[in-house]
Amino acid sequence: MTERSTGRRRPTLREVAQLAGVSHQTVSRYLRSREGLKPATLERIDAAVRELDYRPNLLARSMRTKHTGRIAVLLPNMINHHPARILAGAAGAAHEAGFTVEVVALEGGAEERSDRLLELAYSGQVEGILALAPILPSVEASLPADAAVVVSADFDDRMRSLGELSDAAPVYELVEGLAALGHRRLYHVAGDAEYASARARRAAYLDAVERFGLESVGVFDGDYSAESGVEAMRALPAGRLPTAVVAASDGIAAGVVRGAKNRGLEVPRDLSVTGWDDLEVARYMPPSLTTVHIDLAGLGRRAMIRLVKALSGIELDPPTLPLNQVIWRESTAVARPH
């Protein structure tokens, strides 16, 4: 279930509250039960619901069913390979427990997502909700008592990695492994600094180089594009060539390989290169790319396991892989002096 623009935007819970002249918490209470609310308040909210055509079918508590077998997964309306793999893991876990999954992809930010989450929680159309992006802290107090909601905020509104996905610990393993291969002069091509993951990998690289007593010939501030990898290699002066490059993504690493070739360097004979993401193409590049595999399906599975347990008590098998795992391939080799 994906929400798309239809020319008439769906009214939100907050708009009902604004039109009725009450707080959104009062509207949430109204959705749970009309009891305890003043008649004048009920009239104003009723009028606002009618005027805005605010999902009146969802307000009829008699239409609610407790066991629909359906779970909603909430995420921003920006699909790339990251959430697709997380969704695959989450859906697999849900199906094992006998649930079906509906994806709700929304325009807007945390406020719009929070309103939609509340609508779904009160609708009775789904048994549980998994949110893959942040929601407002105030939502928890407005949820019905029997709501099963798990928030696994792995991305922000622009699908930039947060939380576990921004963990840069594998950088230390990469740098230590390169040092064991005899590399002493390293270079880092960073990702877009707007991403927490890029900032974390940059900081971890600088710390790792110092920790293992190595030399850094610099950090090039890239933007996660392959072109930034090419530019990073072009920017190096002839007398400051590294023997290994730690790239913040597989895309950047592919650009580094091309940029090295443009300078007459062969990977890995003259230059070792590492990436991050373990994209499918990384396995087939000439040479295949040393990288960091992210178990995104496992991340989605872990989040869904929490929700399934809350809903049914069923305990599914957890993922067997660590979230991040360094994969050594052909693009790294023993260092040769230039």
Side-chain angles (χ1 to χ4, degrees):
M1 178 170 59
T2 302
E3 297 201 353
R4 305 178 186 275
S5 174
T6 59
R8 184 176 182 275
R9 186 175 61 82
R10 180 196 303 276
T12 69
L13 180 146
R14 291 175 186 274
E15 288 171 338
V16 172
Q18 184 177 10
L19 183 59
V22 298
S23 67
H24 73 275
Q25 290 91 343
T26 299
V27 176
S28 295
R29 183 180 171 190
Y30 166 92
L31 293 174
R32 289 195 298 271
S33 172
R34 299 171 67 89
E35 295 181 4
L37 293 175
K38 296 178 180 179
T41 301
L42 290 172
E43 288 180 10
R44 293 203 304 273
I45 299 176
D46 285 340
V49 167
R50 287 194 299 270
E51 182 174 337
L52 294 174
D53 191 23
Y54 178 74
R55 292 185 166 271
N57 61 310
L58 300 185
L59 301 181
R61 294 181 61 85
S62 62
M63 296 296 290
R64 294 185 60 178
T65 55
K66 291 293 185 180
H67 302 290
T68 65
R70 297 157 67 192
I71 289 173
V73 178
L74 215 60
L75 74 165
N77 194 21
M78 298 174 67
I79 303 298
N80 57 36
H81 72 280
H82 282 338
R85 288 158 63 186
I86 291 176
L87 283 170
H95 294 159
E96 285 177 35
F99 292 95
T100 59
V101 171
E102 298 183 359
V103 178
V104 183
L106 299 173
E107 300 289 353
E111 184 170 310
E112 288 80 4
R113 195 160 46 252
S114 299
D115 284 341
R116 188 70 178 104
L117 187 149
L118 285 172
E119 289 182 8
L120 286 167
Y122 283 103
S123 73
Q125 295 184 338
V126 297
E127 288 192 51
I129 304 169
L130 172 61
L132 295 180
I135 61 173
L136 298 179
S138 60
V139 166
E140 185 175 354
S142 301
L143 287 169
D146 60 349
V149 176
V150 167
V151 179
S152 181
D154 302 303
F155 299 98
D156 65 11
D157 295 329
R158 293 173 57 190
M159 298 311 294
R160 294 176 297 195
S161 301
L162 299 171
E164 287 184 281
L165 288 178
S166 61
D167 177 26
V171 171
Y172 293 91
E173 185 178 344
L174 288 170
V175 172
E176 184 177 23
L178 290 169
L181 290 171
H183 295 277
R184 294 293 177 268
R185 303 182 72 193
L186 275 59
Y187 185 39
H188 179 53
V189 188
D192 188 337
E194 287 191 2
Y195 288 73
S197 56
R199 298 193 299 271
R201 291 167 201 172
R202 187 185 198 277
Y205 163 80
L206 292 172
D207 184 58
V209 166
E210 183 177 354
R211 178 181 300 185
F212 296 113
L214 307 176
E215 176 189 358
S216 174
V217 302
V219 173
F220 184 89
D221 293 321
D223 58 7
Y224 279 129
S225 70
E227 180 59 29
S228 66
V230 175
E231 289 292 333
M233 291 304 298
R234 185 181 298 132
L236 282 169
R240 294 284 292 167
L241 293 179
T243 61
V245 175
V246 177
S249 73
D250 289 352
I252 291 175
V256 168
V257 172
R258 167 55 62 181
K261 183 176 179 64
N262 292 346
R263 296 195 65 154
L265 302 174
E266 184 179 330
V267 177
R269 186 192 66 187
D270 305 309
L271 184 74
S272 286
V273 179
T274 72
W276 193 298
D277 285 330
D278 194 23
L279 301 181
E280 184 178 14
V281 68
R283 284 169 264 165
Y284 300 101
M285 285 174 56
S288 60
L289 184 65
T290 291
T291 185
V292 178
H293 176 78
I294 309 173
D295 186 21
L296 292 168
L299 187 71
R301 181 178 179 83
R302 278 195 293 272
M304 185 58 76
I305 284 173
R306 289 165 52 199
L307 183 56
V308 165
K309 185 176 181 180
L311 283 171
S312 63
I314 296 174
E315 295 197 19
L316 301 174
D317 292 333
T320 56
L321 296 176
L323 179 61
N324 294 320
Q325 183 179 17
V326 174
I327 308 294
W328 295 94
R329 295 197 181 109
E330 297 167 345
S331 65
T332 46
V334 174
R336 290 180 57 195
H338 289 159

